[in-house]
Amino acid sequence: MNTSPADFAARLRSRRRIIGYWVVLDNPVGTERLAGLGYDYICVDAQHGLLDYKGTLGAMTAIDARGTAAGMVRVPANDGFWIGQALDAGARGVIVPLVNTAEEAAAAVAACRYPPLGVRSYGPMRSGLRVGPAPAESNQQVACIVMIETAQALANTAEICATDGLDGVYIGPSDLTIALGGRTSTDTSVAEKFEAALAKVAEEARTAGIAAGIHCPDGATAAGRLAQGFTFATVSSDLVHLEQAAAAHLRDATA
């Protein structure tokens, strides 16, 4: 499915179909094995995941060891420090949470780009081995994706998608469901509003010519979302699949 991590940002910008996987555990060997399965990218969750910066750095190294998947990081916040640190660790893209306006999207883009296109500070302690390292090359090879997961962001989707230099938007289904009035992160009572919101985001991204992504609970859902108009999708996570596999084997063993 994937070709080379070096052209990940270019494929994302061209709205090619891309499928990734989500990592929340500080488990470099496990992440390395996942990175060799054929996913286009492995995204490490530094916002809600169970790992610190050393864990993120170890995950980026593990992903690159297989040489096929691109390493991405969901950073903790829309802040130049977190974004720069993830990119310096070798991430080929960042997913920035809780972006509500075009101005906030522009700030995320600026944090991803070296001058004169942005404000990223030069210090590629590890990324220089894999990405760039010349500033102009790094600017081309790094993807900036912002999340649409609040009512405010949904209202501002067209303006956010039109942000100069933005490569893609990404749906956080849990937060968006709650933002739409859901009592839980999977409340089906807001399903109609949720689906309408997804259609809106996918269409606004298409109009702006940028990528549209979404987190999915399983591969079948990811296939459906890609058919619906999204251009990239992430499948579940290592922690969820670990628990599901262990539970299934226990059921089989005790049947």
Side-chain angles (χ1 to χ4, degrees):
M1 186 182 305
N2 49 18
T3 52
S4 167
D7 69 359
F8 172 75
R11 287 184 287 135
L12 184 84
R13 292 180 187 124
S14 66
R15 290 175 52 86
R16 294 258 303 273
R17 192 185 81 158
I18 293 174
I19 301 175
Y21 193 80
W22 203 255
V23 164
V24 302
L25 297 176
D26 187 355
N27 179 10
V29 175
T31 299
E32 184 179 9
R33 292 175 74 97
L34 291 167
L37 294 177
Y39 287 97
D40 295 290
Y41 64 89
I42 305 292
C43 186
V44 175
D45 188 356
Q47 183 190 23
H48 293 303
L50 306 172
L51 68 177
D52 58 11
Y53 175 67
K54 286 186 178 180
T56 299
L57 179 62
M60 292 299 105
T61 304
I63 293 165
D64 282 340
R66 296 304 293 267
T68 55
M72 291 218 297
V73 176
R74 176 165 71 171
V75 295
N78 186 7
D79 182 280
F81 170 78
W82 294 117
I83 293 171
Q85 190 176 71
L87 296 179
D88 287 348
R92 294 187 178 274
V94 291
I95 296 178
V96 183
L98 296 170
V99 171
N100 294 312
T101 66
E103 291 76 17
E104 291 176 2
V109 172
C112 290
R113 311 289 185 233
Y114 291 118
L117 300 182
V119 297
R120 180 182 172 189
S121 176
Y122 191 81
M125 294 298 98
R126 177 176 180 275
S127 64
L129 301 173
R130 299 280 184 169
V131 185
E137 294 174 351
S138 296
N139 287 345
Q140 284 296 315
Q141 294 175 14
V142 166
C144 180
I145 301 162
V146 301
M147 295 192 72
I148 304 292
E149 52 185 344
T150 68
Q152 185 181 7
L154 192 61
N156 293 326
T157 299
E159 293 82 1
I160 291 171
C161 289
T163 301
D164 188 36
L166 185 66
D167 298 308
V169 290
Y170 189 77
I171 294 286
S174 295
D175 278 314
L176 186 58
T177 296
I178 294 170
L180 292 171
R183 295 181 299 275
T184 69
S185 63
T186 56
D187 190 348
T188 57
S189 70
V190 297
E192 187 173 340
K193 290 195 291 185
F194 180 75
E195 291 300 326
L198 297 195
K200 171 183 169 64
V201 173
E203 177 58 25
E204 295 291 3
R206 186 195 66 78
T207 299
I210 65 171
I214 186 169
H215 196 93
C216 301
D218 51 58
T221 302
R225 295 305 184 193
L226 292 169
Q228 183 181 5
F230 286 88
T231 62
F232 70 106
T234 313
V235 177
S236 196
S237 75
D238 51 355
L239 180 60
V240 170
H241 284 158
L242 176 64
E243 183 177 25
Q244 289 177 346
H249 286 297
L250 179 60
R251 286 195 301 271
D252 291 343
T254 57

